[in-house]
DNA sequence: GAGGTTCATAGCCCCAGGCTATCGACTCCA
DNA sequence: TGGAGTCGATAGCCTGGGGCTATGAACCTC
């Protein structure tokens, strides 16, 4: 890309087009809302820098030269493009229109999006959301890089210096096979029950794994060697007797439809994660994102 | 076409592109050869008029917003177009390149172009000539309108206020069937020989017809009722005994190859036409056209 | 030849956009 | 922990480009 300052002005092009249209400097000046000398000067200057005579003129008439005609055509198209650019930018200026690039973690995405997507469409009809599902670390990196405008993550993870709006508390549940000793117990569960148990957790990198793992190691539970790649497979494996696990409330309704599983809440203070929308401080979308977060909160799936 | 002054500058677009490339105001300013505050100000101003934040910036980093990225893409293409326009105009600025729109009358065109066209191509390799063949009246009108840059006509016709460069004198010849009384005479012809003769002339509107007609009516010749639409058909008709006619020297070599015709020059002062290149006074091509005329003169077919 | 065109020229004025200097925030390193 | 270095933003000044009015020169019309 050439860096040298451009030798002419958009306004000069406008003047040229106006003169070509009316074949009169006077009329063209009038239509451009400038004085005729100003317009003359600009045309002359353009002809000067291009070293081309665009119009052939004497006291009574103005004619387009062949070069002039060619340049006018190009100028016309160019001005239309400029117009389009302006318009596009202006319309995109409304932050609740255009495209918002949102990240979301995999332990939230499948349970939340079915409820939230239509709500957003309803609230912000001019807004298009592009979702990126990935683990927190990737999301925060993309956010930092500017590849994302915001992300939906758990505040308990390591997020760096961001602004956030809390969407919901998401308490954890103890999930066991129905015939498992822990599944037999009545009432709320306590973390201490996990002591010595075989616990199945998610793969590395999931923030939910980190939280669950913290709980388990405090309770001296025993993590199984193999790990699940997603909550559906995790649930599946528990159902087939692999051990016990934790599930966030958000996932419970969807995952635990089969009667072989027993789901018990934890006694207060229940372990939980805090789901929030986060974005860069100084993001130009701060205002819009607060609104979006509000809409998400309202649309949050109630258990 | 919108007449309102454009809200931004090509330079501002350049700045935006430069910042987007380097993701640094400082470096962008350097590459644009301006101070960083000047560049900052221009960017801020552009963001102001568009009511859009293009870059997200703090003290250590600069990020493109989604809107910004979109605008930068458009701006890039636009700047390329501007570059192309400049280049096209500059190259067209060399009057001996690009396209020259030339008119030529029908009684010249078929005899001259075969010789002149290659010569022009040789002399001015960057020049493309677009020929328009028509009668003088049409050509002068087009010249006046600006549809033609120059025309090759006979100066004896009514041409209006133009500048010209004479290319050649084109004397007239008396053409008769070989067995015609006038074809039997020896030596140069005299207009007075035409008295009472049946003369065949071209159709209305040809300047050559007007000249020949003037000669004939002065000599009290008798014009035949039917008229030829071109010099080839005219010659053809004379050969088949329709009467006598005049031909300009330029046409003689081509048209009179058959032995049934006798061609006699006129005694001094021989009637003639003066062929010249004409163009509008104040034409931007005046210089180039003189050169073109020179080349045409040199390439003129010698009898 | 007077009056009304047209575009060009002259001369004035003002602000847009340039500059330097500096601030304020942050990073990095000793 | 403090000092040096980097970043973009701000402040304040200066200049020239592009605006204006008034006028000139050439041409048309009546």
């Amino acid at each position: 890309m050439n860096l040298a300052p451009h030798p002419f002005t958009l306004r000069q092009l406008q003047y040229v087009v106006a003169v070509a249209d009316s074949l009169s400097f006077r009329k063209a000046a009038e239509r451009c809302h400038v004085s005729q000398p100003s317009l003359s000067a600009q045309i002359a200057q353009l002809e000067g820098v291009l070293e081309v005579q665009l119009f052939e003129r004497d006291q009574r008439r103005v004619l387009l030269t062949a070069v002039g005609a060619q340049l006018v055509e190009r100028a016309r198209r160019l001005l239309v493009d400029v117009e389009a650019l302006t318009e596009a930018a202006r319309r995109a200026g409304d932050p609740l229109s255009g495209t918002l690039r949102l990240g979301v973690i995999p332990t939230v995405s499948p349970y939340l999006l079915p409820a939230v997507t239509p709500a957003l469409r309803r609230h912000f009809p001019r807004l298009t959301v592009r979702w990126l599902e990935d683990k927190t670390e990737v999301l925060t990196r993309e956010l930092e890089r500017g590849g994302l405008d915001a992300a939906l993550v758990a505040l308990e993870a390591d997020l760096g210096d961001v602004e956030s709006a809390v969407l919901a508390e998401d308490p954890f549940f103890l999930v066991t096979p129905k015939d498992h000793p822990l599944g037999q117990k009545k009432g709320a569960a306590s973390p201490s029950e996990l002591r010595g148990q075989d616990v199945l957790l998610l793969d590395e990198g999931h923030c939910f794994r980190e939280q669950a793992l913290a709980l388990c190691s405090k309770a001296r539970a025993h993590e199984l060697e193999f790990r699940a790649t997603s909550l559906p497979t995790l649930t599946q494996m528990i159902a087939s007797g692999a051990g016990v696990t934790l599930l966030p409330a958000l996932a419970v309704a969807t995952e635990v439809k089969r009667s072989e599983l027993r789901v018990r809440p934890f006694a207060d203070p229940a372990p939980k994660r805090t789901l929030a929308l986060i974005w860069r401080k100084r993001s130009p979308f701060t205002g819009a994102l607060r609104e979006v977060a509000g809409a998400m909160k309202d649309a949050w799936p109630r258990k």
Side-chain angles (χ1 to χ4, degrees), chain A residues 7-72:
Chain A
F8 57 82
T9 310
L10 288 176
R11 170 153 316 193
Q12 287 171 344
L13 294 188
Q14 269 185 313
Y15 288 175
V16 169
V17 169
V19 173
D21 281 343
S22 58
L23 288 183
S24 154
F25 278 50
R26 182 161 292 280
K27 282 178 201 151
E30 199 172 322
R31 298 185 58 206
C32 291
H33 308 293
V34 289
S35 70
Q36 168 263 314
S38 303
L39 182 137
S40 282
Q42 288 304 309
I43 300 272
Q45 185 169 330
L46 180 57
E47 288 180 328
V49 299
L50 294 181
E51 296 173 309
V52 171
Q53 190 170 343
L54 301 173
F55 300 102
E56 209 180 310
R57 44 207 189 268
D58 57 26
Q59 281 68 17
R60 60 201 152 137
R61 45 215 295 285
V62 172
L63 287 180
L64 255 178
T65 61
V67 190
Q70 196 181 322
L71 180 132
V72 164

